[in-house]
Amino acid sequence: DMHGNVFEWTADWYGAYLTANPVVDPIGPATGSARVGRGGSWGYAGPSLLSAGRSNLLPSNRWDSIGFRVGFQKQ
């Protein structure tokens, strides 16, 4: 359901990954001007639709290709 639907908004601020010491699910910077968008959307070609793909999306953007994933924590 991730591929080709909409970019997924995340809570992380966009920043460069540190490549010297790779980390699983790294924490982004504490502040920033753009949020991380994951995945890709219906308007992009197949090679751009990787769930590991990251893009920088301004919080003020309003496009029909940006969405979010509703989740819950099982108790």
Side-chain angles (χ1 to χ4, degrees), residues 1-6 39-42 46 48-52 69:
D1 291 340
M2 283 282 295
H3 304 295
N5 205 358
V6 293
S41 78
W42 52 267
S48 301
L49 304 179
L50 300 173
S51 56
R69 183 175 299 274

Side-chain angles (χ1 to χ4, degrees), residues 9-16 27-36 54 56-60:
W9 280 111
T10 68
D12 291 339
W13 291 106
Y14 187 84
I27 298 172
T31 61
S33 60
R35 297 285 186 175
V36 172
R54 298 168 64 239
N56 55 339
L57 301 172
L58 297 175
S60 60

